[in-house]
Amino acid sequence: MRNFTLFVLCIIFATSCKIKLEKNNRNKAFLVDNVNPFIGTGGHGHTYPGATVPFGMLQISPDNGVSNWDWCSGYHYSDSIISGFSHLHLSGTGIGDLADILIMPINKKVDLTTKGTTRDLLPYKSVYSHLNEKSKPGYYQVYLKDPKINVELTASQRTAFHKYTYAESDRQSVVIDLGFAINWDKALKTAITIEDKYTISGYRYSTGWAKNQKVFFVAKFSKAISESTVTADKKIVSGNKAEGENTAVQLFFDTEKSDELYVKVALSSVSTENAKDNLDPESSDFETAKSKSAAVWNDALSKITVETPVDSLKTIFYTALYHAQLAPVTYNDKNGQFRKENDEISTAKNYTAYSTLSLWDTFRAENPLLTLLAPGKTSDMVNSMLAYYDTKKILPVWTLYANETNTMTGYHSIPVIADAYLKGIKGFDAEKAFQAMKTTMMQDERGLNLYKQFGYIPYNLLDESVTITLEYAYDDWCVAQMAKALGKNEDYQFFIKRSKAYQYLFDPATGFMRGKSEDGKSWNEPFDPKHSNHREHTDYTEGNAWQHSWFVPQNVEDFISLHGSNEIFTKRLEQLFTESSEITGSNVSADISGLIGQYAHGNEPSHHIAYMFNKAHEPWRTQYWVHHILDTQYNTTPNGLSGNEDCGQMSAWYVFSSLGFYPMNPASGEYEIGSPIFEKAALHLQGGKSFIIEAENVSNKNFYIQSATLNGIPFNKTFITHQQILQGGILHFVMGAAPNKNWGSKGKK
């Protein structure tokens, strides 16, 4: 009887283990199932739906072939034509580039010598329907109606995998067009070589947003090439090689064995030999790569788990978490080598080199999110910036394929480095990093000469003077914090003093930051706080005075005192959200989107503003407006982002804010409390610890914090520190439908 009982208990135990294992597997799969990569592919989101892995080197995705602002990623949901599938894409930027190494499967011989400047003249384009299109993390599928070919794409860290299924007995062919270009991009010099029956290689040099972009590639096919037509500059050439500004090739394959054709593609910024080295081994196949890609994404998404009965919230959240891990992208080859803008070949030793650093956007929330989720990658990104500094003797602004685009204002590699160091992230040379920060802010480029001379940038000497001054002041504050941490008191005193440059531009009569003349007295007149003039003859970058007058995250208390009192400050801040949404001017910036009053959630300068009520001791206003933004500016449709995704920033705002806290001052090591929307959320941190946020009674109506405890102890602060989160524990909120004006109202202690 005893043995029988033991036998039964063993069965029960084994069964329970199996159930638990299956449940865990289902949970992981469920996270991937919640992601909808089509969110942001409509409207002004500028995201792509194709296949990649977290921070992957390649982004294999469809290109519609249209050169227009809303096609910056190569794809827009409103379209119905595909021109091909290229291997490099930008996620949610406002400038279009890349779309390198285009491949398109077809079923007939086409004339590649046709000259044309629009996609209408492309002989290999095809109609498609969203009804026969699917996208999941690491996988994309579409049916091309014209050639009747089903296309499936997946990717690993450095290899793209294509699977083409042709109609039975159809001719199996592929076009590779290295002259294909959209938006800012233009091919300068390209080359194709048919190396053997299964392999082609080549390169594509181009200019655009990245002025010196060199991409080398290799493509291996599962079937032997039976016939080929090679062209150079729209002329057929003999032999297996072609070189010119525009080269292309059409390849034909044997159709007897199967209707499927597989292609593997790898790239390199250095050489075709490195591209071959980057190519996954012969043993790797499409289905294996697809499964591995899904598993990698499962792991990446499982760093945060949320519980809510509202499925749409899960979809928005996990899609945001997905988008927040697309960029920056791996840039160095498997052997560590990568090309710099000056054509120097460098080697990343003991770190991964990253490119696509959209720092004006991502320093606000995307990079702080990565300090929680991927601190190792954060140190790699800092090392990537320092490698750039080694060459330029200045830190990067916005790098694409190792090229400095100098796009946007400020030097926001500085807060990213300061944030990493102050949060205890290791793996980079702190002294070198500080010298890079200091040297950058003491040089004379991009208006810093004026900033040093006047203490601010006069509007009559440089456009966008207000935005640039405010952002340099913040960068100075970050340098000061780094100096203080390293015991450099003289540097600390210098930069902390200069970080108050915002005081020069505040107009107490209007409550706005305004352009000031070099005489130190005269304001830029006439003044209309709603006026926008996109990137020229303006005091504000991609916005107006309403949106840009609040960027003093480093010293909100002093900023409030400039207004005169908490009451005046909160009245003006509340008016930002309730003012009419009229934007005046004949050249209004398209980036001003997602308007709530004059608050523009579709562009980054607004992202911290709703959290500033906390510093004025009225946190219930932060809770109201954060909830309102979460509720109105994100949804599950292709138009689900209210502005450019900008390499993860728009999504990182959602990830943080939906959890209930946000890095209002990104390099402070503190997060302002907002309004959590999930019943329970858990951050699974390195070292095995978890930080759990519970929101008792939370609902779409119950978004006000009534009370809170941290690890069982009453918690009445409107902020929580990075170190408190890293220690793990439980932050428990009780939520209600009416504001509790006593909770957190006494401000920071």
Side-chain angles (χ1 to χ4, degrees), residues 37-53:
F38 288 113
I39 293 176
T41 59
H44 300 320
H46 298 185
T47 62
Y48 61 81
T52 188
V53 294

Side-chain angles (χ1 to χ4, degrees), residues 191-193 195 199-205 215-219 266-279 333 339:
I192 290 174
T193 299
E195 295 196 355
T199 311
I200 72 163
S201 64
Y203 60 81
R204 184 180 190 272
Y205 301 169
V215 182
F216 299 84
F217 78 96
V218 61
L267 309 182
S268 166
S269 66
V270 176
S271 65
T272 53
E273 289 305 311
N274 276 18
K276 292 174 184 178
D277 187 46
N278 288 338
L279 197 69
D333 296 329
R339 181 182 298 273

Side-chain angles (χ1 to χ4, degrees), residues 423-655:
K423 287 176 178 174
I425 292 175
K426 309 296 183 182
F428 62 92
D429 185 334
E431 286 290 340
K432 178 180 179 180
F434 175 75
Q435 288 304 318
M437 296 161 71
K438 179 180 176 180
T439 301
T440 297
M441 290 307 293
M442 292 305 294
Q443 46 83 30
D444 292 332
E445 293 185 18
R446 292 162 50 85
L448 274 168
N449 57 330
L450 302 173
Y451 180 74
K452 289 190 293 184
Q453 179 181 350
F454 296 96
Y456 64 96
I457 296 176
Y459 79 85
N460 56 314
L461 300 182
L462 188 66
D463 281 349
E464 303 181 340
S465 62
V466 173
T467 299
I468 297 171
T469 297
L470 296 179
E471 293 185 4
Y472 281 162
Y474 181 69
D475 292 340
D476 274 343
W477 183 86
C478 293
V479 178
Q481 303 313 305
M482 188 82 166
K484 185 177 182 180
L486 293 172
K488 301 178 186 296
N489 186 60
E490 187 176 338
D491 287 324
Y492 170 75
Q493 294 298 335
F494 175 85
F495 285 102
I496 201 68
K497 180 180 179 181
R498 214 170 66 164
S499 73
K500 296 178 181 178
Y502 59 87
Q503 295 176 349
Y504 287 104
L505 301 186
F506 181 75
D507 176 15
T510 63
F512 292 102
M513 296 288 183
R514 296 182 56 185
K516 182 173 281 187
S517 174
E518 61 187 307
D519 65 13
K521 300 176 182 179
S522 307
W523 299 112
N524 191 359
E525 300 285 0
F527 177 64
D528 175 4
K530 295 182 179 179
H531 185 267
S532 166
N533 194 23
H534 184 64
R535 303 310 307 265
E536 58 182 19
H537 308 304
T538 179
D539 295 336
Y540 311 97
T541 302
E542 296 181 353
N544 60 24
W546 270 113
Q547 290 129 29
H548 283 264
S549 291
W550 308 95
F551 191 70
V552 191
Q554 71 271 29
N555 201 343
V556 182
E557 291 86 351
D558 182 57
F559 183 41
I560 291 172
S561 71
L562 292 179
H563 285 265
S565 68
N566 282 335
E567 290 72 26
I568 295 172
F569 176 81
T570 53
K571 182 179 178 181
R572 287 172 174 168
L573 187 53
E574 186 78 11
Q575 188 181 352
L576 169 72
F577 294 93
T578 58
E579 183 70 20
S580 78
S581 294
E582 176 194 16
I583 306 295
T584 61
S586 59
N587 183 32
V588 172
S589 175
D591 295 280
I592 302 176
S593 59
L595 284 166
I596 303 171
Q598 285 289 314
Y599 173 91
H601 192 70
N603 208 18
E604 281 68 25
S606 288
H607 280 189
H608 71 290
I609 298 176
Y611 289 90
M612 299 181 86
F613 289 110
N614 281 358
K615 297 297 187 182
H617 312 324
E618 296 192 6
W620 63 91
R621 296 186 189 274
T622 284
Q623 293 157 34
Y624 176 85
W625 287 114
V626 167
H627 179 267
H628 185 72
I629 297 165
L630 286 164
D631 195 41
T632 61
Q633 301 302 304
Y634 298 83
N635 62 61
T636 59
T637 72
N639 292 357
L641 298 175
S642 59
N644 295 168
E645 164 62 16
D646 284 319
C647 297
Q649 171 58 29
M650 193 68 65
S651 289
W653 188 96
Y654 188 91
V655 171

